[in-house]
Amino acid sequence: MADSKPLFSLDGDPMAAEALLRDVFGIVVDEVIRKGTSASEKVCEWKEPEELKQLLDLELRSQGEASEQILARCREVIRYSVKTCHPHFFNQLFSGLDPHALAGRIVTESLNTSQYTYEIAPVFVLMEEEVLKKLRALVGWSSGDGVFCPGGSISNMYAVNLARYQRYPDCKQRGLRALPPLALFTSKECHYSIKKGAAFLGLGTNSVRVVKTDERGKMVPEDLERQISLAEAEGAVPFLVSATSGTTVLGAFDPLNAIADVCQRLGLWLHVDAAWGGSVLLSQTHRHLLDGIQRADSVAWNPHKLLTAGLQCSALLLRDTSNLLRRCHGSQASYLFQQDKFYDVALDTGDKVVQCGRRVDCLKLWLMWKAQGGQGLERRVDQAFALAWYLVEELKKREGFELVMEPEFVNVCFWFVPPSLRGKQESPDYSERLAKVAPVLKERMVKEGSMMISYQPHGTRGNFFRMVVANPALTRADMDFLLNELERLGRDL
Amino acid sequence: MADSKPLFSLDGDPMAAEALLRDVFGIVVDEVIRKGTSASEKVCEWKEPEELKQLLDLELRSQGEASEQILARCREVIRYSVKTCHPHFFNQLFSGLDPHALAGRIVTESLNTSQYTYEIAPVFVLMEEEVLKKLRALVGWSSGDGVFCPGGSISNMYAVNLARYQRYPDCKQRGLRALPPLALFTSKECHYSIKKGAAFLGLGTNSVRVVKTDERGKMVPEDLERQISLAEAEGAVPFLVSATSGTTVLGAFDPLNAIADVCQRLGLWLHVDAAWGGSVLLSQTHRHLLDGIQRADSVAWNPHKLLTAGLQCSALLLRDTSNLLRRCHGSQASYLFQQDKFYDVALDTGDKVVQCGRRVDCLKLWLMWKAQGGQGLERRVDQAFALAWYLVEELKKREGFELVMEPEFVNVCFWFVPPSLRGKQESPDYSERLAKVAPVLKERMVKEGSMMISYQPHGTRGNFFRMVVANPALTRADMDFLLNELERLGRDL
């Protein structure tokens, strides 16, 4: 691509712009939507970083490139990117491709607006409110507030910021130095964003008191009470408990009712980080896992995970009806939120957030929901559970697989025990050797491009695989493939 | 749409998925890329909120809808959305449509990955680094660090958080209560995100000391020094100055060298909020407006504004080479940032940020840059300046337009003085009556759908229009249209 042609600008040439976009869309259809979702294609095409840099010719130069070169670049970007929509991409809490959600994302990108005022986002201001209302109804609230945030970590931060503001409105002007030392509580299985958020919000990670979990990874309410007493004895003021519905590794659901009892008795804000597990609320069969969530003050829920809405789609939901969001975050910028507009300025929702420009994250979820209906989405959730349980049953039938625990969600955590370690459970270096298996298999599968699944150490346990059943296109054959492929990749170990 | 057909699921039906997406893409091409950018079409189709709710049938139901209905919904969403790509959309600091950037956005959405690890985003981890390197080079740095954030407000927050962490690393664990009271400094023309950020980060809005500006809206360095002394006298510790390159309303550039002198002498972190003005660095002719920016510690720059990269594309750039980002924000989550991976885990950049999942924001800018070249982008910036100055000259020729001030950037601020107020400058209610003109004209233009331009009060000045020349497709004819249209809309006032 060194012989770059003279600059070819599309400015003011709508026909050329259209032609380019049609070509790019054709590439997307061929390479992502068709090949990327095909089990007979690779999940990824591994390259070492230095080699990949060369292949991509990343440097940005003075001279522009012609359309054919740009199209070639799109093909290369796709070629060397991981296909998260592939049926053997099990690596994260998101996977798969919902065509309606993608359609919503393409429309969103083409309209390119910001969610701050009714003036420039009339459809999306109303739509966001409707989608949030629906999500709140599933939580069990007939009123409330909320907003879409750029990811669950920021949704969780919002909850913490709102809780401290509600208790100490002074904090907005005077800052944390005007407040007593604060303490918030979450389990040792919580997502790392709680500590990151505490640092970012100026509370410091020490303000996060870690509550014990039981053998399933669920918060122990008795220990919560103990930690609260301890914090108080140390002079801190407890103000928030962050429970988790669907922990990152084990997929555990904290006992919300027992935790809500504690919060209610002590007047603490109850936040539920349901970024991962929130979508279970759609299932009549499984929503009991979140019993008590309606007693929360705030809920973070990421439909970009189990519902396949696409990155990012993270809702912060609030039970509050006192305009807390706007009071806490508002600054009444006169250049954007003019009060002499010709419509109801309560529709200018941008002052509810700490961002200024904010992406439209509601359309992809709304369009997918319209297409699938609540029933269709419920069926997906139920199917994910069913497949996870199928996997567990199949895994138990095979030699060489060991469950970390019986799952209650779609995270299936297990060790693959290679032939050389089978029956050696009693040897002193068994755990150490077993922990080295997953990284080796991971390297092999990625370099072959056959599948991707995550592993991690966890507490005193050595590396184990965390299988996530999230892609709505998965079938039993994909579960069988996972087990067969691990056996194949690990047969010489 | 009440007679919804039985649920039509596309799960596992790639042909149907493809067909749907092709149809949606066709609608996007027709309705947004062709009609949305055409001067002969409307910018917006105003509906009152209640009517729009009815038209859109927003409710989410149990039953799914057939593809034809979904396509009709896409058409309606587009129909009632504001066309920010239209040549008469002058309302925000972003506008227009770059086809390459949109192509990058469509590829990004289809690949749907998260920017946290090389494992699942190999192309984008390397690409982000290359794009940031290019932006840093334009700032004047041959090394450094950086990250794309979800918008300029969060980029600004990052800068404040990094500055306090660098001075007081304890803050991460122990929080702000362990620190002396802090003070940061910014001008009265700064973006509102500085105060919002101070509240969110626990510093409180009172920690933001407001520095005077001159008649052009530029920070007065002598007053900065005075405010710093005042804060110290009150027992606060100054730690950061946030200068602005391109203020939101007036488009003013703070004198960076003079401010950097103060920061250097007193050991303060210099942040430059160049969210709006940063793109001027591409222009050899105009980049002198940011002279001194290379002396900053951090810079926020939003290519989604003047460069038309698409929402959101906001870079936080750092001069730091000590891994400050990762030390400040990292939490070493073992389930995601495993240390026993088979590649260099320094490529897992996700621990630099306070988000977990993070959207890919680099491809749209990279692809556009590859296509346009630095030269093409420079030409756009220069053209925007030239058109703004053309507008100023034309405006001066006409009766009924009054400049707020001579612009130095592409914000052109002016009053439209309707016939009934011309020559009445001396009457006591002139300012009051003039301030009521812009809201009336705004209502008229939006209800006709002929154009959109923002207005605001500002200090002691009543409402005036802020014209923003950002869309690269604009021509002199569009400038003439703006003036003609205001005359037409206001001729009876």
Side-chain angles (χ1 to χ4, degrees):
Chain A
M1 297 215 171
D3 58 343
S4 167
K5 290 182 196 168
L7 179 85
F8 177 63
S9 168
L10 299 182
D11 290 356
D13 185 349
M15 299 299 289
E18 253 186 72
L20 173 95
L21 283 162
R22 282 190 197 281
D23 288 343
V24 169
F25 187 72
I27 293 171
V28 165
V29 168
D30 292 345
E31 302 299 323
V32 185
I33 294 161
R34 195 176 308 150
K35 285 167 70 179
T37 59
S38 163
S40 59
E41 301 280 340
K42 285 185 176 185
V43 179
C44 57
E45 184 157 335
W46 172 260
K47 296 289 173 193
E48 295 294 333
E50 284 309 317
E51 187 187 358
L52 186 54
K53 275 185 202 170
Q54 298 305 316
L55 286 166
L56 292 169
D57 177 29
L58 289 168
E59 192 187 343
L60 296 172
R61 308 195 177 84
S62 296
Q63 196 74 9
E65 296 180 355
S67 287
E68 311 88 81
Q69 284 172 303
I70 296 300
L71 295 176
R73 293 197 177 282
C74 289
R75 278 194 203 92
E76 284 159 9
V77 163
I78 293 171
R79 175 170 179 188
Y80 298 113
S81 286
V82 172
K83 306 305 180 298
T84 65
C85 53
H86 192 282
H88 301 154
F89 178 82
F90 308 122
N91 212 67
Q92 311 298 144
L93 300 181
F94 64 91
S95 64
L97 183 149
D98 180 279
H100 296 104
L102 179 56
R105 271 134 57 198
I106 290 172
V107 172
T108 299
E109 291 297 333
S110 74
L111 289 170
N112 193 44
T113 197
S114 177
Q115 186 79 59
Y116 37 56
T117 61
Y118 186 77
E119 187 173 317
I120 70 155
V123 171
F124 302 125
V125 163
L126 300 179
M127 186 181 285
E128 181 175 59
E129 190 38 57
E130 187 70 24
V131 174
L132 291 169
K133 193 174 92 181
K134 187 71 186 179
L135 298 180
R136 284 196 303 265
L138 285 163
V139 167
W141 299 334
S142 57
S143 62
D145 203 350
V147 72
F148 280 96
C149 294
S153 297
I154 292 179
S155 292
N156 286 338
M157 277 189 218
Y158 267 43
V160 174
N161 192 42
L162 290 163
R164 74 178 175 187
Y165 174 78
Q166 190 193 46
R167 186 174 284 226
Y168 301 104
D170 246 21
C171 168
K172 183 175 176 179
Q173 279 78 41
R174 297 178 59 210
L176 288 173
R177 284 185 51 85
L179 274 48
L182 301 178
L184 64 103
F185 303 82
T186 190
S187 88
K188 68 188 275 285
E189 294 292 316
C190 79
H191 188 255
Y192 69 79
S193 57
I194 302 296
K195 282 202 170 179
K196 281 205 178 191
F200 198 66
L201 295 168
L203 293 162
T205 53
N206 291 353
S207 70
V208 181
R209 309 293 177 116
V210 177
V211 180
K212 283 183 189 157
T213 51
D214 64 18
E215 71 289 349
R216 298 295 301 263
K218 295 167 180 285
M219 187 190 284
V220 176
E222 296 72 26
D223 193 56
L224 171 62
E225 292 191 80
R226 213 176 62 89
Q227 293 297 335
I228 292 171
S229 301
L230 265 174
E232 282 175 328
E234 292 170 17
V237 176
F239 75 110
L240 173 138
V241 176
S242 179
T244 312
S245 289
T247 60
T248 312
V249 177
L250 302 176
F253 288 79
D254 285 346
L256 298 182
N257 269 317
I259 294 167
D261 288 344
V262 175
C263 290
Q264 198 170 327
R265 200 169 61 246
L266 302 174
L268 307 187
W269 181 288
L270 174 56
H271 173 62
V272 178
D273 176 358
W276 175 221
S279 301
V280 177
L281 290 168
L282 281 152
S283 163
Q284 290 306 314
T285 311
H286 301 288
R287 59 169 291 143
H288 65 85
L289 290 166
L290 297 101
D291 274 355
I293 195 168
Q294 73 285 354
R295 299 172 65 188
D297 295 285
S298 57
V299 172
W301 174 356
N302 290 9
H304 71 237
K305 295 189 162 83
L306 195 56
L307 293 186
T308 328
L311 289 157
Q312 290 181 332
C313 189
S314 174
L316 175 74
L317 307 172
L318 296 170
R319 196 171 55 179
D320 172 75
T321 54
S322 73
N323 228 356
L324 186 66
L325 259 181
R326 200 182 289 256
R327 287 185 287 125
C328 179
H329 295 143
S331 74
Q332 294 92 43
S334 59
Y335 80 92
L336 192 58
F337 305 116
Q338 303 92 327
Q339 295 304 298
D340 52 7
K341 286 185 178 177
F342 62 92
Y343 61 83
D344 177 6
V345 293
L347 291 164
D348 289 354
T349 48
D351 222 16
K352 288 185 178 182
V353 300
V354 298
Q355 298 181 273
C356 175
R358 184 163 61 96
R359 287 177 51 82
V360 171
D361 285 332
C362 57
L363 175 59
K364 49 197 169 194
L365 179 57
W366 181 83
L367 200 65
M368 176 173 74
W369 205 307
K370 279 286 190 190
Q372 293 288 334
Q375 289 176 352
L377 297 177
E378 177 174 16
R379 207 149 49 216
R380 283 191 188 176
V381 173
D382 288 344
Q383 178 185 295
F385 273 90
L387 278 177
W389 293 341
Y390 170 80
L391 176 64
V392 168
E393 292 314 306
E394 290 304 304
L395 192 148
K396 286 177 181 169
K397 290 178 193 164
R398 301 196 190 205
E399 204 186 8
F401 290 91
E402 194 184 328
L403 271 183
V404 172
M405 64 183 61
E406 293 282 334
E408 61 176 358
F409 194 21
V410 296
N411 308 37
V412 181
C413 294
F414 64 91
W415 287 277
F416 172 72
V417 185
S420 69
L421 283 178
R422 290 179 197 161
K424 305 272 172 63
Q425 279 80 344
E426 304 306 319
S427 65
D429 61 350
Y430 176 80
S431 298
E432 199 185 321
R433 288 171 65 196
L434 185 59
K436 289 180 177 156
V437 171
V440 172
L441 294 191
K442 180 66 176 271
E443 178 170 1
R444 291 179 178 183
M445 69 179 80
V446 168
K447 289 189 169 170
E448 289 195 22
S450 61
M451 70 175 180
M452 289 182 73
I453 176 171
S454 189
Y455 72 84
Q456 64 285 302
H458 186 260
T460 57
R461 296 175 178 116
N463 285 319
F464 56 84
F465 287 113
R466 179 199 62 174
M467 166 68 182
V468 178
V469 184
N471 182 344
L474 294 181
T475 64
R476 289 186 171 198
D478 298 309
M479 304 299 107
D480 296 337
F481 173 85
L482 167 71
L483 299 176
N484 292 338
E485 183 64 8
L486 287 173
E487 284 175 349
R488 187 184 73 80
L489 291 166
R491 64 190 160 197
D492 64 333
L493 294 180
Chain B
M1 297 218 171
D3 58 344
S4 165
K5 289 183 196 167
L7 179 86
F8 178 64
S9 167
L10 299 182
D11 291 355
D13 185 349
M15 298 300 288
E18 252 187 72
L20 173 95
L21 283 162
R22 283 191 196 280
D23 288 343
V24 170
F25 186 71
I27 293 170
V28 164
V29 168
D30 291 346
E31 301 299 323
V32 186
I33 295 161
R34 195 175 307 149
K35 285 167 70 179
T37 60
S38 163
S40 59
E41 300 281 340
K42 286 185 176 184
V43 179
C44 57
E45 184 157 337
W46 172 260
K47 295 290 172 192
E48 295 294 333
E50 283 310 315
E51 188 188 356
L52 185 55
K53 275 187 203 172
Q54 298 305 315
L55 285 166
L56 292 169
D57 177 29
L58 290 168
E59 192 188 343
L60 296 171
R61 306 193 179 86
S62 296
Q63 195 73 9
E65 295 180 356
S67 287
E68 311 88 77
Q69 284 172 302
I70 295 301
L71 295 176
R73 294 198 176 280
C74 289
R75 279 196 202 90
E76 284 159 8
V77 163
I78 294 170
R79 174 170 179 188
Y80 298 112
S81 286
V82 172
K83 306 305 180 297
T84 65
C85 53
H86 192 283
H88 302 153
F89 178 82
F90 308 123
N91 212 67
Q92 311 298 143
L93 299 181
F94 64 91
S95 64
L97 183 150
D98 180 278
H100 297 105
L102 179 56
R105 269 132 62 197
I106 290 172
V107 172
T108 299
E109 291 297 334
S110 74
L111 288 170
N112 193 43
T113 196
S114 177
Q115 186 78 59
Y116 38 55
T117 62
Y118 185 77
E119 185 174 318
I120 70 156
V123 171
F124 303 125
V125 163
L126 300 179
M127 185 181 284
E128 180 174 59
E129 190 38 57
E130 188 70 24
V131 174
L132 291 169
K133 192 174 93 181
K134 186 72 186 181
L135 299 181
R136 282 196 303 264
L138 285 163
V139 167
W141 299 333
S142 58
S143 63
D145 202 351
V147 73
F148 280 96
C149 294
S153 297
I154 292 179
S155 292
N156 287 339
M157 277 188 220
Y158 266 44
V160 174
N161 193 42
L162 290 164
R164 74 178 175 187
Y165 174 78
Q166 190 194 46
R167 185 174 285 224
Y168 300 105
D170 246 18
C171 168
K172 183 174 176 180
Q173 278 79 39
R174 298 178 59 211
L176 289 172
R177 284 185 50 86
L179 274 50
L182 301 178
L184 64 104
F185 302 83
T186 191
S187 87
K188 68 190 275 287
E189 293 293 317
C190 78
H191 187 256
Y192 70 80
S193 57
I194 303 295
K195 282 201 171 180
K196 280 203 177 190
F200 198 65
L201 295 167
L203 294 161
T205 53
N206 291 354
S207 70
V208 180
R209 308 295 177 116
V210 178
V211 181
K212 283 183 190 157
T213 50
D214 64 17
E215 71 287 351
R216 297 294 302 263
K218 295 167 180 285
M219 186 189 286
V220 176
E222 296 72 25
D223 193 56
L224 171 62
E225 293 192 81
R226 213 177 61 88
Q227 293 298 335
I228 292 171
S229 302
L230 265 175
E232 282 175 330
E234 291 169 19
V237 177
F239 74 110
L240 173 138
V241 177
S242 179
T244 311
S245 290
T247 60
T248 312
V249 176
L250 301 176
F253 288 79
D254 285 346
L256 298 182
N257 269 317
I259 295 167
D261 288 343
V262 175
C263 289
Q264 197 171 327
R265 198 168 63 245
L266 301 175
L268 306 188
W269 181 288
L270 174 55
H271 173 63
V272 179
D273 177 359
W276 175 221
S279 300
V280 176
L281 290 168
L282 281 153
S283 163
Q284 290 306 314
T285 311
H286 301 288
R287 60 169 290 142
H288 65 85
L289 289 167
L290 296 101
D291 275 355
I293 195 168
Q294 74 284 357
R295 298 172 66 189
D297 296 285
S298 56
V299 171
W301 174 357
N302 290 9
H304 72 237
K305 294 189 162 83
L306 195 56
L307 293 186
T308 328
L311 289 158
Q312 288 180 334
C313 189
S314 174
L316 176 74
L317 306 172
L318 295 170
R319 196 171 55 178
D320 173 74
T321 54
S322 72
N323 227 356
L324 186 66
L325 260 182
R326 200 182 288 257
R327 286 184 288 124
C328 179
H329 295 143
S331 75
Q332 294 93 42
S334 59
Y335 81 92
L336 192 58
F337 306 117
Q338 302 91 327
Q339 296 305 299
D340 52 8
K341 286 184 179 179
F342 62 93
Y343 62 84
D344 177 6
V345 292
L347 292 164
D348 289 353
T349 49
D351 221 18
K352 289 186 179 184
V353 300
V354 297
Q355 297 181 274
C356 176
R358 184 163 61 95
R359 286 177 51 84
V360 172
D361 285 332
C362 57
L363 175 60
K364 51 198 169 193
L365 179 57
W366 182 83
L367 200 65
M368 176 173 74
W369 205 307
K370 280 285 188 189
Q372 293 288 334
Q375 289 175 352
L377 297 177
E378 178 175 18
R379 206 147 51 216
R380 283 190 187 177
V381 173
D382 288 344
Q383 178 184 295
F385 273 90
L387 278 178
W389 293 341
Y390 170 80
L391 176 65
V392 168
E393 292 314 307
E394 291 304 303
L395 190 149
K396 287 177 179 169
K397 291 177 191 164
R398 302 197 189 204
E399 204 188 8
F401 290 91
E402 194 184 328
L403 271 183
V404 173
M405 64 184 59
E406 292 283 336
E408 62 176 358
F409 193 24
V410 297
N411 307 38
V412 181
C413 294
F414 65 90
W415 287 278
F416 172 72
V417 185
S420 68
L421 283 177
R422 290 178 197 162
K424 304 272 172 63
Q425 279 82 343
E426 304 308 319
S427 65
D429 62 350
Y430 176 79
S431 298
E432 198 186 321
R433 288 170 66 195
L434 185 59
K436 289 181 178 158
V437 172
V440 172
L441 294 190
K442 181 66 176 270
E443 177 170 3
R444 290 179 179 183
M445 68 179 79
V446 168
K447 289 189 170 172
E448 288 195 22
S450 61
M451 70 175 182
M452 289 182 73
I453 176 172
S454 189
Y455 72 84
Q456 64 285 303
H458 185 260
T460 57
R461 297 174 178 115
N463 285 320
F464 56 83
F465 288 113
R466 178 199 63 174
M467 167 67 182
V468 178
V469 184
N471 182 346
L474 293 182
T475 65
R476 289 186 171 198
D478 298 309
M479 303 300 107
D480 296 336
F481 173 85
L482 166 71
L483 299 175
N484 293 338
E485 183 64 8
L486 287 173
E487 285 175 348
R488 188 184 71 81
L489 290 166
R491 65 190 160 195
D492 63 334
L493 293 180

